[in-house]
Each structure stands twice: as C-alpha cells, then as structure tokens.
C-alpha cells in the first residue's frame, strides 16, 4: 500500500490521508498518517480522485528529525568494517 497526504486541486486543505492505487488516490477516513497506523493500519474508504486532480503533500508535516546521507554512509562504513568488509564503490 502506498500511503500519501493529498489535497484536491480545487480545494485548499491541510491534506487528507490517501492510498495511491495505480492512477488514482483513494481518500481514507483517518485524521493523519499516525492515526491511520495507531488505528491498526486500516480505514474506511471515502471518495477517489485521479492523480491528475490532486496535489501530493509531504507525508509528515513536521518530521521529528531530518537525516542526511552522510550519517547513513558513516553507519554503513562502520557496520561493514566490523565484519571486515569494504563499502562497494558507487556505480551511478
């Protein structure tokens, strides 16, 4: 399931919880993504909208922390070093 926060293009909203299914977004009856999960990960379905009729919003309005790749890169290097392995080179 691909969850999102969205707002129909014709309305100014703080965002509704939805599930992206193919080329549509199904509006779920949950106040927030957090309440969706604390409610057991299921919610009644409301309307559905075509992806082109909605604006996708940040899924977490105020994240408690922001992590950059550097912290993750150091974690990978340290974890692999403990096992005697090097980090594979980037082939992008």
């Amino acid at each position: 399931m691909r969850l999102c926060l969205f707002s129909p293009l014709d309305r100014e909203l703080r965002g509704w919880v939805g599930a992206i299914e193919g080329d549509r977004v199904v509006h779920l009856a949950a106040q927030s993504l957090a309440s969706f999960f604390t409610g057991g990960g299921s919610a009644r379905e409301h309307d559905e909208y075509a992806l082109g009729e909605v604006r996708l919003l940040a899924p977490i309005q105020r994240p408690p922390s922001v992590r950059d790749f550097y912290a993750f890169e150091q974690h990978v290097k340290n974890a692999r070093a403990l096992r005697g392995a090097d980090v594979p080179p980037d082939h992008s």
Side-chain angles (χ1 to χ4, degrees):
M1 178 181 289
R2 293 173 43 197
L3 297 174
C4 67
L5 281 185
F6 75 98
S7 176
L9 291 176
D10 61 349
R11 299 183 185 183
E12 281 298 319
L13 301 169
R14 66 174 175 80
W16 289 336
V17 175
I20 300 173
E21 297 178 355
D23 61 352
R24 66 192 180 107
V25 177
V26 178
H27 179 194
L28 301 175
Q31 291 295 316
S32 67
L33 284 172
S35 66
F36 174 81
F37 289 114
T38 58
S42 64
R44 193 174 73 253
E45 295 182 0
H46 285 301
D47 294 332
E48 65 178 60
Y49 299 85
L51 267 175
E53 297 174 349
V54 302
R55 176 175 37 264
L56 295 176
L57 306 170
I60 301 174
Q61 301 260 334
R62 292 179 184 89
S65 67
V66 176
R67 311 250 172 136
D68 62 12
F69 176 74
Y70 180 76
F72 180 73
E73 182 181 25
Q74 288 303 114
H75 171 76
V76 170
K77 284 180 181 177
N78 292 337
R80 292 185 66 89
L82 288 172
R83 292 179 302 204
D86 292 328
V87 176
D90 180 20
H91 295 285
S92 20

